[in-house]
Amino acid sequence: MSKALVECVPNFSEGRNMDVINQITSEIKSVEGVRLLDVDPGAEMNRTVVTFVGSPEGVKEAAFRAIKKAAELIDMRKHKGSHPRMGATDVCPFVPVSGITVEECVELSKEVARRVGEELGIPVYLYEKSATRPERQNLAIIRQGEYEGLAEKLKDPEWKPDFGPAEFNPQAGATVIGVREFLIAYNINLNTREAKYATDIAFELRERGRSVRRGNIRPFYFKGREILKYREGHYPCGSCEFVGKTMDETIRHCKDIHHYDLPHLLKLNGIDPEHPEGQSVKKPGKFKHCKAIGWLVPEYDRAQISINLTNYKVTSMHHVLEETRRLAAERGLVVTGSEIVGLVPYPALLETGKFYLQQQGRSLGIPIRDILETAIQSLGLRDVSDFKIEERVLGLPEDLNQPLVQMKVADFIDEVSRESPAPGGGSIAALSGSLGAALASMVSNLTANKRGSEAVDEILNEAAEKAQEIKFKLAAGIDADTNAFNAYMEARRLPSKTPEEKKIKHQAEQAGLKQAVHVPLETARQSLEALKVAEIVVKYGNPNSITDVGVGALMAFNGVKGGVFNVLINLGQIEDQQFVKEMKETCRTLEKEAAELRDRILSRVEEKIK
């Protein structure tokens, strides 16, 4: 099981005074087992988003210390900013990253909330997955009325805090704590200084939608002359011209014809669906799990649509951006780019890169960094600030940054040539196989998606993707083989003075030898897969590049043979004879199939170049 890791992203109501911000983040950095990842202050919003990760216990303590320090330093009576807020620490979400369940994270959030309420005297509301009642799941609903309306809100028994006193804390306000999915804070930039233009588009995007208007609604909907309202016996549908005589009739119509839950929509907008009379009619926005508002950002000299994507697996950055581009064009506006505030999950950026590659009719079988760079360029993430993959993408595959893989070619060759036994043949076998897969991918990409290649595009695009997957695994094997050898050598260095120490050392050595077998065996298996891809590419690829496929096949075969050599040499010292027998039989099968594939591929290459 992977190590338990929790992310915490508290939002503090201070974005201008760096001394205050630094004192808060110093509290986080003081906790062992916690790593501060990002501090993103915004002067116009007067708000700072902080991101840190660590062990459950470490994150729990760091969150409490930061909330305590914010309550000491931030006076909400003096706070002004463009972002909705209700407390010095406005919201403190916890996000399970790995090795911990949502349920365990919920308990963690409640422990922090209890301490904040009892020790600091701050009213605390639980939200999202920690919510104690359905109406408190949504942050926007809890925050309605903001800090200015909090004193009256706390007098209402329906809004009794989950923890802490039901009394107004004028300096610290109130705090919202809970567990949520990974939230992507995503802003889209427009070529205008008019915040109301950004807001007009934001209301079209966000899940809670907007009030329905009639007359003069194009191109800017907010200019509509009449706002429709519910009244007794007159309950209009926000999405068409239908008017129900009862609210139930309109609710059924919205569900059957437009497929949305009208009561849920009204609750998102603070309207009682049982008594909506006098309230404006609402129509839903285009995206679920999407919150959006518009504002002017003076430091960028343009308006932005500020978006929170609360479940990127349902609503992605690229789909929101493409719809924004369409809505902006209708209004005579241009999207100049976008920005991600804080961090973004690796899978989210990867899927965005794949989306735009598919839009361009290009293969997805290219290096991961190229896919991520496609996403960055397509989203325009460097429009207003720099975007560095290593600093901003959470969960990058660790194999991208292994020490041997990251070496320059000349340095790697030098490292191999030194008198140390590793990196040795196993690492070179993995490198050879990865180069074979890379060449198969190259020829696939050179052939596919060109004029006249339509008949083979699907076959070669699939081959390129498979080759990239194999290449990535084999590249990781370059370091894995060296690491396995080093682990075995560590076992040999264990003390062996007593019978118990000798037993422990012997067991560790045998386990290390088996690991030293499994790693090159995987190299051989993946190199065989590279040969299988090469056979497809030699058949359908560009004839002008057929020798590249042949070279790739030779490299992949060497990966198989080299992997087998390293398996066999390590079997000699393993005492588990059944294991030894199975490994030898597996190696014979792999080598036989690899030789047959190599011969078929080379035969085809030689026929073409005669």
Side-chain angles (χ1 to χ4, degrees):
M1 185 175 178
S2 58
K3 183 179 178 181
L5 189 68
V6 180
E7 180 188 55
C8 185
V9 195
N11 289 213
F12 301 104
S13 295
E14 176 57 67
R16 300 164 186 166
N17 189 328
M18 289 308 301
D19 179 58
V20 170
I21 295 167
N22 289 335
Q23 287 189 62
I24 294 171
T25 55
S26 291
E27 293 293 320
I28 295 168
K29 290 189 287 186
S30 70
V31 179
E32 186 177 350
V34 168
R35 183 161 60 101
L36 184 65
L37 296 178
D38 190 64
V39 180
D40 191 7
E44 173 66 18
M45 296 175 284
N46 201 9
R47 182 183 187 87
T48 296
V49 180
V50 175
T51 306
F52 60 94
V53 296
S55 65
E57 287 302 316
V59 166
K60 190 165 57 174
E61 179 62 25
F64 176 78
R65 291 188 191 180
I67 293 170
K68 180 180 180 182
K69 182 58 68 174
E72 294 171 1
L73 300 178
I74 299 172
D75 189 343
M76 291 303 295
R77 290 167 291 197
K78 303 175 182 177
H79 183 270
K80 300 293 180 184
S82 59
H83 198 290
R85 79 284 182 268
M86 63 191 299
T89 301
D90 183 55
V91 60
C92 183
F94 297 93
V95 183
V97 177
S98 63
I100 185 170
T101 65
V102 168
E103 291 73 21
E104 289 170 331
C105 221
V106 166
E107 286 306 308
L108 181 155
S109 71
K110 289 180 178 178
E111 289 176 33
V112 175
R114 182 178 293 106
R115 284 193 71 187
V116 171
E118 293 176 358
E119 296 181 32
L120 306 181
I122 298 173
V124 179
Y125 294 98
L126 297 174
Y127 85 124
E128 288 279 357
K129 298 183 184 298
S130 302
T132 55
R133 55 182 89 169
E135 61 270 22
R136 293 191 182 183
Q137 290 178 353
N138 191 291
L139 175 61
I141 292 176
I142 295 176
R143 202 158 50 191
Q144 284 174 356
E146 298 188 45
Y147 171 80
E148 287 73 15
L150 185 58
E152 285 300 313
K153 192 171 195 170
L154 287 164
K155 295 176 183 178
D156 184 349
E158 288 297 312
W159 283 104
K160 180 183 177 183
D162 293 292
F163 292 101
E167 298 173 6
F168 183 50
N169 184 323
Q171 176 160 326
T175 294
V176 185
I177 294 177
V179 174
R180 60 161 172 78
E181 297 288 350
F182 200 105
L183 181 149
I184 300 177
Y186 180 58
N187 300 335
I188 298 176
N189 310 320
L190 299 172
N191 66 330
T192 179
R193 297 182 183 88
E194 292 288 347
K196 57 189 176 184
Y197 290 178
T199 300
D200 195 54
I201 297 175
F203 286 179
E204 292 290 320
L205 299 172
R206 66 182 188 176
E207 183 174 7
R208 63 182 286 197
R210 70 191 313 160
S211 297
V212 177
R213 293 174 179 264
R214 292 286 186 265
N216 193 37
I217 59 174
R218 286 184 169 75
F220 292 101
Y221 195 89
F222 74 88
K223 293 183 178 181
R225 289 185 291 270
E226 177 191 5
I227 298 179
L228 298 190
K229 294 191 175 183
Y230 298 112
R231 63 177 188 269
E232 191 70 35
H234 187 86
Y235 301 93
C237 167
S239 301
C240 70
E241 299 301 317
F242 175 86
V243 178
K245 294 181 180 179
T246 66
M247 194 60 189
D248 286 343
E249 190 178 346
T250 302
I251 289 171
R252 286 195 302 271
H253 166 83
C254 291
K255 181 179 181 180
D256 295 341
I257 304 301
H258 303 297
H259 311 295
Y260 66 84
D261 184 342
L262 180 57
H264 175 70
L265 176 64
L266 295 179
K267 287 177 182 177
L268 286 178
N269 285 278
I271 298 173
D272 182 355
E274 295 183 7
H275 304 287
E277 294 78 15
Q279 300 291 333
S280 59
V281 177
K282 301 295 180 183
K283 69 168 187 171
K286 296 180 181 295
F287 295 105
K288 298 285 187 183
H289 305 288
C290 176
K291 303 172 183 178
I293 57 175
W295 55 36
L296 174 66
V297 185
E299 52 259 54
Y300 299 156
D301 193 31
R302 71 195 73 183
Q304 265 190 347
I305 303 167
S306 177
I307 301 163
N308 282 345
L309 300 176
T310 57
N311 190 336
Y312 69 85
K313 297 170 187 174
V314 175
T315 297
S316 63
M317 292 180 289
H318 48 272
H319 287 129
V320 172
L321 179 62
E322 289 307 304
E323 181 62 17
T324 301
R325 284 172 170 156
R326 188 187 70 80
L327 293 170
E330 287 180 354
R331 292 159 171 78
L333 303 173
V334 174
V335 171
T336 64
S338 63
E339 70 168 340
I340 293 170
V341 180
L343 304 182
V344 61
Y346 162 70
L349 201 62
L350 186 71
E351 287 308 308
T352 289
K354 289 180 177 180
F355 169 82
Y356 283 109
L357 286 170
Q358 289 172 328
Q359 293 292 102
Q360 298 164 19
R362 292 174 58 198
S363 168
L364 304 184
I366 61 175
I368 287 174
R369 286 188 180 276
D370 292 1
I371 297 176
L372 297 179
E373 188 61 34
T374 297
I376 292 166
Q377 293 177 7
S378 302
L379 296 175
L381 291 180
R382 297 190 177 107
D383 180 32
V384 293
S385 60
D386 196 12
F387 187 96
K388 296 180 180 178
I389 290 174
E390 287 78 11
E391 296 176 1
R392 304 296 298 280
V393 182
L394 184 64
L396 272 176
E398 292 183 1
D399 296 330
L400 289 177
N401 298 305
Q402 291 292 333
L404 293 178
V405 174
Q406 288 296 305
M407 279 186 177
K408 293 179 181 178
V409 173
D411 292 338
F412 179 75
I413 293 171
D414 283 346
E415 183 66 25
V416 173
S417 71
R418 292 191 172 99
E419 60 188 13
S420 60
S427 292
I428 299 306
L431 174 61
S432 182
S434 69
L435 290 171
L439 281 168
S441 176
M442 181 192 83
V443 177
S444 295
N445 289 328
L446 284 172
T447 308
N449 310 307
K450 307 294 189 296
R451 186 180 298 131
S453 69
E454 291 79 10
V456 296
D457 281 354
E458 185 175 351
I459 295 170
L460 291 176
N461 284 335
E462 185 177 332
E465 284 191 68
K466 181 66 176 175
Q468 287 290 330
E469 179 184 330
I470 296 165
K471 184 203 75 175
F472 184 81
K473 290 178 180 178
L474 284 166
I478 297 170
D479 280 277
D481 190 87
T482 296
N483 293 339
F485 176 82
N486 290 337
Y488 170 65
M489 295 305 293
E490 285 295 321
R492 293 193 62 182
R493 296 188 189 101
L494 290 173
S496 56
K497 293 180 179 179
T498 68
E500 183 62 26
E501 286 179 343
K502 289 179 181 178
K503 180 181 178 182
I504 292 172
K505 178 181 179 180
H506 180 70
Q507 291 173 342
E509 287 175 341
Q510 288 293 304
L513 284 168
K514 284 189 175 181
Q515 180 62 20
V517 164
H518 285 303
V519 172
L521 182 65
E522 183 63 16
T523 291
R525 283 173 170 157
Q526 291 301 323
S527 296
L528 178 63
E529 292 301 312
L531 275 167
K532 292 177 182 178
V533 175
E535 186 175 36
I536 295 170
V537 179
V538 80
K539 181 177 180 181
Y540 297 103
N542 187 332
N544 294 326
S545 300
I546 198 165
T547 54
D548 293 312
V549 187
V551 172
L554 287 170
M555 299 297 286
F557 178 76
N558 288 337
V560 177
K561 189 72 175 178
V564 167
F565 278 161
N566 278 271
V567 171
L568 296 177
I569 192 66
N570 288 317
L571 289 177
Q573 300 177 63
I574 293 178
E575 298 171 355
D576 184 344
Q577 291 305 303
Q578 182 62 34
F579 177 82
V580 171
K581 181 181 177 182
E582 290 174 359
M583 289 300 100
K584 286 183 176 180
E585 181 59 36
T586 299
C587 286
R588 279 193 291 270
T589 302
L590 286 170
E591 194 170 352
K592 180 176 182 293
E593 187 176 356
E596 291 171 353
L597 278 166
R598 176 203 60 191
D599 291 346
R600 287 201 299 269
I601 294 166
L602 295 184
S603 175
R604 193 177 187 97
V605 172
E606 288 167 355
E607 285 176 11
K608 292 285 185 181
I609 62 177
K610 283 180 180 178

